[in-house]
Amino acid sequence: MDIPKLRASEGEPWMLCCSSSGVQATLKQFLEVTDLLLERVQLNSTHLFRADIIHDSTGQLETLAQKEAKCDFSSSSQTSVGVQDHHCLSLTPPPLQDYQHQRTVVRRLIPRKPQLDNPLEQSCFVYKGGGDTDEALVVYVPHCSETDMPWYHPKVKALCYRFIQGDTDQATLEVYCQPLPNTDSPLPDRLQRTFQSLLSTMVRLLKLPSKSDTAKHAQQPNGKLDPVNMPLTASTLKDTILPQHIVQNTYTSLKETYASDLISRWVEKTEPSKHVFEDLSIAAFLVELWTTTYGSKSSFPGFVDLACGNGVLTYILVSEGWQGRGFDARRRKTWEVLGIDGTHLEEKICIPRPFLDCAHPADLEDMDVLDGIFSAGTFIISNHADELTCWTPLLAALSSPTSPLPYLAIPCCSHALDGSRHRYTLKEVAAGLGTNHQRIDEKTDSQNDGNPATGDLKKLRAAKTNTDTSTYACLTRKTAALAQELGHGVDITLMRIPSTRNIGIVGNCKRIARSRSQDKPRVGNGEQDVVDELQSLNLQDNNDTGSSTPRTSQETINAILQRECSLTGGLQTSARIWIEKAKRLQGGQGRGKVNWNGAQPPHA
């Protein structure tokens, strides 16, 4: 098929930069990928964080304010009003022969390193072609002069994607540009490579299958989160609690403040950048969550970071003015370097109170023990806490049964309550939740079913790599299920951190946020005001479910402990296993070097 070149009705001519024929795609797919790239500009350039949508004439893409309204929490530390008011008018759509303007989108490109590059606003125009073929154009025009053009943007007046659907399923994709004055012909190598990369990315995305929108969470008829059936996918969990732009802006600020210093002073044997950037990302999330939940640092009751490891997360939060402390079974070299060893970081081994009650005093000699009971209102951080992951909602309830503590749990390695490694099944996840939580698709645990002698190898591999029923997914479901069984308000989100273990479970924060929205006058101690309001709201929530007693009763906690510890012979046996492992851990033998699976530890 002979395809005529793109021509402007007036003004500057367009130059064809590169093209690809035989693309297996439809016009609908091209427009879907265009919407994807309008928001996720980082797919085209690693120098960009994201694109903030300022205006969409058709309303297909959400603006910052609309995204904030959709999230479970909205932050008061940042506002999108200024973004909406500043340069919100788009440029005039350039006239193009044989094409009709259909849509205008104005976006702001956000760089990863704002200290090096400035944000850039850009108008994006979508055109529909005439004639017998399905054709479309997407034109991008930057809102800046040549001298103000950021490094990450091609040095052109405008660039354009052109999609032409042929008589068959095959299409042609072209990239055009309007060069700046005095641009060499042919185009410079760097500019030509940029256009080729843009084309390659578009072609690659067009090859991917279209994904239909799914519900944010699988829910029961009463609207509660369903831990058994909730989809654990990026499309359903990203930015469900806090908007992306708010967390990323805070992350950028924290990164500029702390990253270089922390990496330069790193004394551990592990890779510093991975740990530092991950903790900075978690800190950014917590700062915005706490700002939204508590309103100010003076109203924040404090945090405790369980199994804090190198202590970097605690250090960042304390340095930002959020008071709290971190605990770990063993002191790290980094603690002394950070300068908060002994003041905000302590070497203690956590033995939950129910296990301590089962222990003989002689078993605890020479051990600096933390019982997991914290003061009212304390925010619990359980970041890759391994053995303490499933204990997190239990400790929140044990610390304050009438008003369970708020927390963030980021699961990692799967353990039972006795501290031994354990892979939870979907049946174990649903235990205690009632018959309404049966698995919708009735999938079974592939690990327990055994491998068939014959069958489809492709299906077998798919079953083994199914992230929805993986060990990590089932641990996440189990933690959320325990929280819900205890009556906690549970929200789940995909944390934007450089880790494959990146699902965050937030508990009991909405009650505090609701207490602030009521705008009650507070007197006296800010921390006590938060605690009092939490207790009041907790009772209201209990009444909403038709229960006249607190949902997190001691009877409920005891029943969960008995059921979960029955996996290893009961509460008494589980306590002995935990304490023996704690002795070895604090005594110097590393985690994972002792395997207590199925074995009884020695007892005096």
Side-chain angles (χ1 to χ4, degrees):
M1 180 176 61
D2 187 18
I3 300 175
K5 290 187 176 181
L6 180 65
R7 300 183 185 278
S9 299
E10 57 186 59
E12 297 292 334
W14 289 89
M15 176 187 294
L16 177 62
C17 304
C18 52
S19 64
S20 178
S21 58
V23 180
Q24 297 287 340
T26 64
L27 178 61
K28 180 182 177 182
Q29 287 177 294
F30 172 73
L31 295 176
E32 287 178 351
V33 173
T34 295
D35 281 350
L36 175 67
L37 290 174
L38 281 171
E39 283 194 299
R40 300 183 62 186
V41 68
Q42 64 270 25
L43 295 174
N44 272 327
S45 174
T46 57
H47 298 282
L48 292 170
F49 233 155
R50 65 180 187 277
D52 292 339
I53 303 300
I54 299 175
H55 169 73
D56 186 349
S57 61
T58 61
Q60 293 175 239
L61 299 178
E62 296 174 334
T63 63
L64 298 185
Q66 290 171 328
K67 288 181 178 180
E68 290 178 24
K70 281 183 61 178
C71 289
D72 293 330
F73 294 81
S74 58
S75 177
S76 59
S77 66
Q78 301 176 35
T79 177
S80 60
V81 175
V83 175
Q84 302 293 335
D85 294 341
H86 181 61
H87 295 318
C88 64
L89 296 178
S90 68
L91 303 177
T92 303
L96 295 166
Q97 274 188 2
D98 303 324
Y99 288 91
Q100 183 180 2
H101 175 242
Q102 299 280 322
R103 176 188 179 196
T104 297
V105 177
V106 183
R107 63 179 182 173
R108 174 176 286 125
L109 308 182
I110 307 298
R112 287 187 178 274
K113 296 182 178 181
Q115 70 274 22
L116 299 179
D117 299 304
N118 292 322
L120 172 67
E121 290 179 4
Q122 192 181 59
S123 286
C124 311
F125 307 104
V126 180
Y127 296 79
K128 181 70 171 63
D132 298 332
T133 59
D134 288 332
E135 296 186 27
L137 295 176
V138 183
V139 178
Y140 299 85
V141 183
H143 293 206
C144 69
S145 63
E146 178 181 357
T147 56
D148 296 330
M149 191 84 68
W151 185 83
Y152 56 78
H153 192 281
K155 301 293 183 182
V156 294
K157 284 186 176 180
L159 62 91
C160 168
Y161 289 100
R162 184 188 188 191
F163 180 87
I164 305 170
Q165 182 72 62
D167 297 331
T168 63
D169 292 337
Q170 295 186 343
T172 299
L173 191 62
E174 299 175 334
V175 175
Y176 287 83
C177 77
Q178 281 188 338
L180 292 167
N182 303 320
T183 301
D184 296 335
S185 182
L187 295 174
D189 289 344
R190 178 177 178 270
L191 197 55
Q192 188 64 48
R193 289 196 304 269
T194 298
F195 291 132
Q196 189 62 53
S197 175
L198 294 175
L199 178 66
S200 299
T201 300
M202 174 64 80
V203 172
R204 175 175 59 84
L205 293 175
L206 286 171
K207 292 179 181 179
L208 299 178
S210 299
K211 295 183 180 179
S212 59
D213 292 333
T214 55
K216 282 292 182 185
H217 300 294
Q219 294 182 337
Q220 304 175 69
N222 60 10
K224 288 186 177 180
L225 192 71
D226 186 348
V228 182
N229 296 295
M230 60 183 178
L232 299 179
T233 59
S235 59
T236 59
L237 294 181
K238 269 188 178 178
D239 311 317
T240 54
I241 293 180
L242 292 169
Q244 174 190 8
H245 65 279
I246 287 179
V247 177
Q248 283 188 341
N249 290 345
T250 301
Y251 168 76
T252 300
S253 175
L254 294 177
K255 180 181 174 182
E256 291 180 19
T257 305
Y258 299 103
S260 297
D261 177 60
L262 288 171
I263 292 174
S264 66
R265 293 194 290 159
W266 194 258
V267 293
E268 305 289 346
K269 294 182 179 179
T270 53
E271 170 61 32
S273 58
K274 191 267 183 188
H275 292 278
V276 169
F277 293 136
E278 182 174 336
D279 286 338
L280 285 169
S281 301
I282 298 171
F285 179 87
L286 285 170
V287 165
E288 289 305 323
L289 178 66
W290 292 344
T291 300
T292 301
T293 304
Y294 300 97
S296 65
K297 296 172 184 176
S298 61
S299 299
F300 182 58
F303 71 86
V304 56
D305 187 0
L306 298 178
C308 65
N310 55 46
V312 170
L313 178 59
T314 299
Y315 169 77
I316 296 169
L317 294 172
V318 170
S319 299
E320 286 295 299
W322 301 93
Q323 291 305 306
R325 50 192 178 142
F327 299 96
D328 203 283
R330 290 179 295 169
R331 178 177 281 100
R332 304 297 200 275
K333 297 177 182 178
T334 313
W335 292 12
E336 186 175 350
V337 174
L338 295 176
I340 57 173
D341 186 8
T343 57
H344 296 283
L345 295 172
E346 299 181 48
E347 183 179 12
K348 288 188 177 182
I349 189 74
C350 183
I351 301 179
R353 171 51 58 184
F355 285 173
L356 282 177
D357 293 339
C358 297
H360 191 278
D363 295 335
L364 306 175
E365 291 181 359
D366 301 325
M367 295 182 69
D368 200 353
V369 173
L370 178 73
D371 64 1
I373 304 300
F374 308 109
S375 58
T378 301
F379 191 100
I380 300 176
I381 302 172
S382 178
N383 172 30
H384 294 185
D386 292 352
E387 293 91 343
L388 290 170
T389 298
C390 286
W391 272 102
T392 303
L394 285 165
L395 295 180
L398 287 165
S399 297
S400 181
T402 59
S403 181
L405 305 184
Y407 53 86
L408 167 65
I410 306 176
C412 184
C413 300
S414 187
H415 294 79
L417 287 193
D418 68 344
S420 60
R421 292 188 179 274
H422 179 74
R423 188 191 196 279
Y424 287 100
T425 65
L426 292 173
K427 183 177 180 181
E428 291 170 337
V429 171
L433 294 179
T435 56
N436 292 332
H437 289 266
Q438 297 301 317
R439 180 71 173 174
I440 291 176
D441 53 11
E442 296 182 351
K443 288 181 181 177
T444 55
D445 190 337
S446 60
Q447 175 172 306
N448 293 337
D449 289 345
N451 294 330
T454 61
D456 190 329
L457 182 59
K458 201 171 185 179
K459 290 182 179 180
L460 179 61
R461 286 174 176 168
K464 283 184 173 292
T465 58
N466 187 348
T467 57
D468 203 41
T469 56
S470 65
T471 301
Y472 178 65
C474 287
L475 171 63
T476 302
R477 297 178 188 281
K478 182 62 178 179
T479 307
L482 288 173
Q484 185 160 309
E485 188 177 355
L486 288 163
H488 300 176
V490 185
D491 295 282
I492 297 182
T493 190
L494 191 72
M495 307 285 291
R496 290 182 177 272
I497 59 178
S499 172
T500 57
R501 302 295 188 256
N502 55 0
I503 296 179
I505 303 171
V506 176
N508 301 320
C509 281
K510 280 187 177 178
R511 294 178 187 145
I512 312 173
R514 286 203 305 269
S515 72
R516 290 188 56 244
S517 67
Q518 294 175 358
D519 291 329
K520 294 181 179 179
R522 294 183 179 179
V523 294
N525 181 269
E527 177 179 332
Q528 187 58 45
D529 290 339
V530 172
V531 173
D532 293 342
E533 289 180 9
L534 267 174
Q535 292 173 342
S536 172
L537 284 165
N538 188 68
L539 294 176
Q540 292 175 19
D541 288 346
N542 294 334
N543 293 333
D544 289 341
T545 61
S547 173
S548 59
T549 58
R551 289 178 295 177
T552 311
S553 64
Q554 190 61 49
E555 291 78 10
T556 300
I557 298 173
N558 292 338
I560 293 174
L561 290 173
Q562 292 294 337
R563 183 190 70 229
E564 297 301 320
C565 290
S566 65
L567 295 172
T568 50
L571 185 62
Q572 193 79 30
T573 302
S574 296
R576 289 200 302 268
I577 294 174
W578 183 282
I579 292 172
E580 288 296 332
K581 187 174 182 180
K583 286 181 178 179
R584 293 177 179 272
L585 182 61
Q586 198 168 46
Q589 189 159 358
R591 180 178 302 177
K593 295 182 181 179
V594 180
N595 181 12
W596 294 112
N597 281 330
Q600 294 293 331
H603 302 294

